[in-house]
Amino acid sequence: MDQKQKFVHELLNKMTIEEKIGQLYQTAIMGEFDYGPAFEQNDLSKLIKEGKVGSLIGPYDNEVTLKLQKLAVNQSRLGIPLLLDNDIIHGCRTGFPVNLALAGSFDPKLVKESFDVIAYETSHSGTHVTLAPMLDIVRDPRWGRVVESPGEDPYLAEKMADAYIKGWQGEGSIDENHVGACLKHFVGYGASEAGREYNHVDISKRMLKQVYLKPFEAGIKAGAKMVMTAFNVYDDIPITANQYLLRDVLRNELKFRGVTISDYTSSEEIMNHKVADTKKEVAKMCLEAGLDIELISTTYLDELKSLSSENQVIKDFIDEACERVLTLKYELGLFNEPFKNIFTDFENYWLLEESRKQSLEMAKASIVMLKNNDVLPLNKHHHILLTGPFAKTDHLVGPWGGKVRNEDCITFDQGLEKTFDQVKVYETPLKDIEKEMIDDILCEAKDVDVVILTLGEHQWESGEAHSKTNINVEKSQVELAKQLNAIGKKVVGVVFAGRPLVLTEIEPYLDSILYAWFLGTETGDALSAILLGTYNPSARLAMTFPKAIGQIPIYYNHMKTGRPLDLIHNPNNHYASRYLDCTNEPLYPFGFGLSYAQFEYKNVKFTYDQNQIHVSFDLTNTSDVFGFEIIQVYIEAMSFSVTRPVNELKYFEKVGLDAHEIKHISFAIHEDELRYYNKDMVFTHEHRTYKFKLARNAEEIIEEQQIKLKSEVK
């Protein structure tokens, strides 16, 4: 038994049953959160003194935090410190791009460095654990929480999970500049039917393990300290009370040794699922399933003592859960330094120059150029009209912005006016732009070289509980673009959104399109750098963009069908998997994004040796400007014991090349990467033949080759 185990066991032996149960209860500081179906205001100070609160969510003011921590340490019987959690998702006080945009950078190193900064600000605000990252795979852009996700692909999500955890926690023991991380939402929440929030989920065991669990596996391997259960069901059992997932999969298969926590009131909500009748049943089911901390709901606090007196197994489960919570507090250093980083001058550690610089670099790397008819980059002497609903607004943070403030954001007009000589600004409302206003804009546009038209959705139209059935661009925004196009103006569209919008109707009227998502504090400067060309756009799409809402869910790694559409060999076959009123293809595929540079691939070779597929080629920047290329490799199983996707991403790399530079690129993909859960649920590549595809995106293949694997993976 090591020192940590000895300390925890000795403390556990001193605790009463009430104190043990208290460690399993997390509540909110009064006034910070007051919603949810089971929220109850308690006398927080009294509960802390009695040892009946183990952790808190949502502290902002460190003077309040310090007062509460002193109550726990100095006035509770055993002086066990509180664990302080917060929902810091994509920025503490310095705002970074929303997570879906971060994933589109295809740059785990830059993401990790960005979360080092976010962790620094978070730790110095008195927070011990962030309830992030969100690792839900999402294939339906109608779902509001897609904005928090790493997108549709499990491989990309794995790489982002690793970067997040190493940024949040550091790459060793958690020091004073880092915080613990909590993987959420375990698991399958992003598969919510019809993209409707908190809705039913129905996925197979193979899909669970092959797709939705993958980023959680990576996060656990990287050392994440906590896992949060999702609101949804799996196999018709709510996950907060799902023993198969929390014990068999999470503990036994994935070897997670940290703390599990419910989502906000998700424990008590299992009564709404009609799998429990009473709070006593809720407490018993959740504890037996493997839930350690109950967030906000009080079924543990109210019912576990009586349950433990009736059942020794419940008593053992309480000890087991409490031990994990105490171990986490020990690992975070709270027993030695219970007041660590609770600075009363915490704002002095926020919005530092180096933090804003990192935010700017991350923002520039997250902007996707979707179209460019030789309009961009602009000349600094161009006469510009900036218009649309995001021309002057500071609502640029995006949902789940932590402690980031709109007023700290550099607005689009501010960024442009610092960068370009002649900028006129005419802001419009987000919706229902009246004809008179459009006429005024057309008049203002007559003597300018280019119009930058901002469009999209409000920052609060995505996020939790913000699902939408209509994700088309708003009609009057389309009409404004149409009218500007009609008078012959060059129009650059800049889209602000927390999800992929359907751009089909507006796209023909725009000469160039930048997808800005929500970029946070440095928005104006980041966009200006892209528009001027001092930064060459490099981001790619982490989600497929549909042509029509009726195509949803649409994603690149969809399954094969027995009647595939073959437009080359049999274009008139009516009895194929197709629509009558729309093509199957998306408007923009996964992995798509343009650059001001052009890249050429030559001398491509695929070789197979020592259980690895080696890929090599010469990459040339054929343009006159520096640029980044995102190299992508997809595979397709030519046969397998179960149906597999038509494409599976297995490698990507961001490479920078100077003008006319040639780089020889080589890398290897181990055959383990080709494994899949087969008909017997064995994770194997089945020594089959695979097609390897070097690609620009999921649809644009540069070169491909079939390779048969020689031996089975043991």
Side-chain angles (χ1 to χ4, degrees):
M1 184 179 294
D2 63 20
Q3 184 177 351
K4 174 175 64 178
Q5 292 171 316
K6 184 174 183 291
F7 176 89
V8 169
H9 285 171
E10 287 178 355
L11 180 56
L12 197 63
N13 289 334
K14 297 175 185 176
M15 297 172 73
T16 65
I17 188 66
E18 292 91 348
E19 289 167 334
K20 292 175 182 177
I21 294 168
Q23 291 300 307
L24 312 185
Y25 176 50
Q26 181 169 132
T27 188
I29 292 179
M30 288 183 180
E32 297 235 3
F33 293 93
D34 58 359
Y35 54 85
F39 184 83
E40 299 172 8
Q41 290 284 9
N42 293 304
D43 184 344
L44 184 55
S45 297
K46 180 174 181 291
L47 287 174
I48 291 172
K49 291 176 186 178
E50 293 173 350
K52 292 182 178 178
V53 176
S55 52
L56 295 172
I57 182 175
Y60 179 89
D61 186 336
N62 274 7
E63 291 189 7
V64 175
T65 302
L66 186 60
K67 178 182 176 182
L68 295 175
Q69 188 71 298
K70 284 181 176 179
L71 285 179
V73 173
N74 298 329
Q75 297 192 43
S76 69
R77 188 178 74 91
L78 294 174
I80 299 173
L82 296 166
L83 178 71
L84 304 171
D85 293 354
N86 230 316
D87 280 296
I88 307 298
I89 311 298
H90 58 97
C92 181
R93 181 60 180 276
T94 304
F96 284 72
V98 294
N99 301 72
L100 187 56
L102 292 171
S105 71
F106 280 72
D107 194 339
K109 180 176 181 292
L110 186 61
V111 170
K112 185 267 178 191
E113 292 168 351
S114 296
F115 277 84
D116 274 321
V117 170
I118 298 171
Y120 176 86
E121 289 194 345
T122 303
S123 67
H124 285 72
S125 66
T127 296
H128 304 136
V129 173
T130 177
L131 300 180
M134 192 266 231
L135 298 177
D136 295 292
I137 300 297
V138 188
R139 292 164 167 180
D140 191 329
R142 296 172 297 181
W143 191 51
R145 299 197 80 166
V146 64
V147 67
E148 296 175 62
S149 84
E152 70 188 43
D153 180 70
Y155 181 81
L156 176 59
E158 286 180 301
K159 302 305 179 186
M160 288 298 118
D162 183 75
Y164 285 142
I165 300 307
K166 289 176 179 174
W168 278 123
Q169 297 189 172
E171 298 190 59
S173 58
I174 298 175
D175 61 25
E176 67 276 6
N177 296 324
H178 293 85
V179 296
C182 176
L183 310 179
K184 67 182 187 185
H185 306 85
F186 189 83
V187 60
Y189 186 30
S192 185
E193 284 186 352
R196 196 176 81 226
E197 182 66 286
Y198 315 123
N199 203 12
H200 186 71
V201 167
D202 192 1
I203 53 178
S204 68
K205 185 176 182 180
R206 181 172 291 103
M207 191 63 65
L208 169 77
K209 293 196 169 188
Q210 190 63 48
V211 175
Y212 293 95
L213 274 176
K214 287 297 184 182
F216 289 92
E217 290 184 57
I220 290 166
K221 185 177 180 181
K225 296 297 184 182
M226 292 180 68
V227 167
M228 176 180 281
T229 61
F231 289 110
N232 56 283
V233 302
Y234 173 74
D235 198 21
D236 298 332
I237 299 172
I239 289 172
T240 307
N242 195 306
Q243 184 169 323
Y244 168 71
L245 284 178
L246 299 187
R247 291 200 185 273
D248 297 350
V249 174
L250 186 61
R251 297 292 184 195
N252 297 335
E253 294 181 20
L254 302 185
K255 308 302 181 186
F256 179 62
R257 297 293 177 257
V259 173
T260 56
I261 183 171
S262 75
D263 207 334
Y264 206 95
T265 71
S266 69
S267 52
E268 194 168 331
E269 288 169 28
I270 72 172
M271 290 194 291
N272 292 338
H273 287 284
K274 304 300 182 185
V275 300
D277 290 322
T278 65
K279 288 186 177 182
K280 191 169 186 176
E281 283 186 77
V282 170
K284 183 174 185 294
M285 290 174 65
C286 291
L287 188 70
E288 288 178 339
L291 180 72
D292 296 332
I293 295 178
E294 186 177 35
L295 174 55
I296 299 300
S297 296
T298 60
T299 70
Y300 279 13
L301 206 60
D302 297 336
E303 305 293 345
L304 282 186
K305 183 180 179 182
S306 63
L307 280 166
S308 67
S309 66
E310 302 165 6
N311 188 329
Q312 179 61 41
V313 173
I314 293 294
K315 200 170 184 179
D316 292 342
F317 281 153
I318 292 170
D319 282 355
E320 175 187 280
C322 184
E323 181 179 348
R324 283 194 284 262
V325 173
L326 296 175
T327 299
L328 174 59
K329 291 182 177 184
Y330 186 97
E331 291 172 347
L332 292 170
L334 296 182
F335 288 107
N336 287 330
E337 296 181 78
F339 309 111
K340 63 180 286 190
N341 288 0
I342 306 179
F343 299 105
T344 53
D345 61 345
F346 56 96
E347 295 206 14
N348 292 336
Y349 299 91
W350 290 349
L351 288 168
L352 301 178
E353 182 180 351
E354 55 267 35
S355 302
R356 297 193 72 138
K357 182 179 178 182
Q358 184 67 34
S359 171
L360 176 60
E361 290 306 305
M362 192 71 253
K364 291 187 293 187
S366 301
I367 298 165
V368 189
M369 186 162 69
L370 297 177
K371 181 179 180 179
N372 191 24
N373 290 338
D374 296 324
V375 173
L376 299 178
L378 302 176
N379 186 295
K380 75 182 302 291
H381 304 301
H382 273 137
H383 192 179
I384 297 168
L385 172 63
L386 174 65
T387 188
F390 294 91
K392 299 179 71 173
T393 183
D394 60 9
H395 290 185
L396 303 167
V397 174
W400 284 114
K403 302 171 185 183
V404 184
R405 295 178 182 173
N406 290 328
E407 56 265 32
D408 290 325
C409 292
I410 297 173
T411 61
F412 203 171
D413 63 317
Q414 289 170 343
L416 285 183
E417 287 168 354
K418 286 191 288 184
T419 307
F420 294 92
D421 293 342
Q422 301 178 78
V423 180
K424 292 197 295 185
V425 182
Y426 194 117
E427 190 170 47
T428 73
L430 187 69
K431 299 179 181 179
D432 302 321
I433 306 170
E434 295 179 351
K435 183 181 182 303
E436 292 77 8
M437 184 172 282
I438 292 177
D439 290 341
D440 288 345
I441 292 169
L442 295 176
C443 185
E444 293 284 345
K446 286 180 181 179
D447 61 347
V448 302
D449 299 309
V450 63
V451 177
I452 299 175
L453 173 60
T454 64
L455 55 119
E457 62 179 12
H458 193 276
Q459 66 175 342
W460 294 117
E461 287 187 78
S462 59
E464 185 172 359
H466 286 80
S467 297
K468 296 170 69 174
T469 62
N470 182 2
I471 58 170
N472 290 300
V473 175
E474 201 270 336
K475 287 289 186 183
S476 64
Q477 294 179 17
V478 177
E479 183 60 26
L480 177 54
K482 184 177 180 181
Q483 294 292 338
L484 287 166
N485 178 268
I487 64 170
K489 287 298 168 183
K490 297 294 185 183
V491 183
V492 176
V494 180
V495 188
F496 295 83
R499 56 164 57 83
L501 297 177
V502 179
L503 303 178
T504 306
E505 189 176 2
I506 200 170
E507 185 273 340
Y509 308 121
L510 302 175
D511 296 283
S512 299
I513 302 174
L514 297 177
Y515 217 86
W517 308 101
F518 288 106
L519 298 170
T521 305
E522 300 296 316
T523 296
D525 285 350
L527 283 167
S528 297
I530 295 281
L531 290 164
L532 185 61
T534 54
Y535 187 92
N536 196 337
S538 61
R540 302 293 187 262
L541 297 179
M543 278 191 77
T544 302
F545 274 47
K547 282 183 180 175
I549 294 172
Q551 290 179 310
I552 298 169
I554 183 170
Y555 46 97
Y556 89 90
N557 48 353
H558 59 84
M559 293 297 180
K560 296 177 173 71
T561 172
R563 293 191 174 187
L565 180 63
D566 187 348
L567 293 175
I568 297 175
H569 301 103
N570 199 1
N572 299 317
N573 178 20
H574 179 73
Y575 295 97
S577 181
R578 68 191 306 174
Y579 298 102
L580 292 178
D581 58 348
C582 183
T583 63
N584 289 0
E585 294 76 26
L587 186 62
Y588 300 109
F590 173 88
F592 180 82
L594 302 177
S595 168
Y596 297 143
Q598 293 81 43
F599 299 93
E600 185 176 74
Y601 293 73
K602 286 186 176 180
N603 304 318
V604 179
K605 293 181 181 178
F606 299 91
T607 57
Y608 179 41
D609 181 51
Q610 295 184 337
N611 304 113
Q612 292 185 322
I613 295 83
H614 299 269
V615 185
S616 65
F617 53 90
D618 295 320
L619 182 66
T620 304
N621 180 351
T622 61
S623 69
D624 296 328
V625 295
F626 172 87
F628 292 103
E629 175 72 333
I630 307 291
I631 298 161
Q632 301 169 50
V633 177
Y634 299 82
I635 63 108
E636 179 183 0
M638 303 313 294
S639 65
F640 205 72
S641 59
V642 296
T643 296
R644 288 182 66 163
V646 297
N647 254 347
E648 300 172 49
L649 181 67
K650 293 300 176 185
Y651 183 86
F652 65 84
E653 182 181 353
K654 184 177 180 179
V655 179
L657 284 86
D658 288 324
H660 303 289
E661 183 182 4
I662 301 172
K663 281 187 178 179
H664 182 71
I665 307 295
S666 63
F667 52 87
I669 300 172
H670 198 280
E671 61 184 21
D672 283 0
E673 292 285 348
L674 313 183
R675 293 182 295 174
Y676 200 88
Y677 286 93
N678 72 0
K679 63 182 177 63
D680 300 315
M681 288 303 293
V682 176
F683 195 45
T684 171
H685 57 54
E686 293 189 337
H687 55 272
R688 302 277 184 151
T689 297
Y690 292 84
K691 184 183 288 184
F692 289 81
K693 308 173 185 182
L694 181 63
R696 297 186 193 277
N697 54 66
E699 290 196 348
E700 190 177 351
I701 309 303
I702 297 163
E703 196 155 334
E704 59 188 28
Q705 182 175 319
Q706 291 187 28
I707 295 176
K708 179 170 173 43
L709 302 189
K710 297 172 184 176
S711 60
E712 175 65 291
V713 172
K714 301 297 183 183

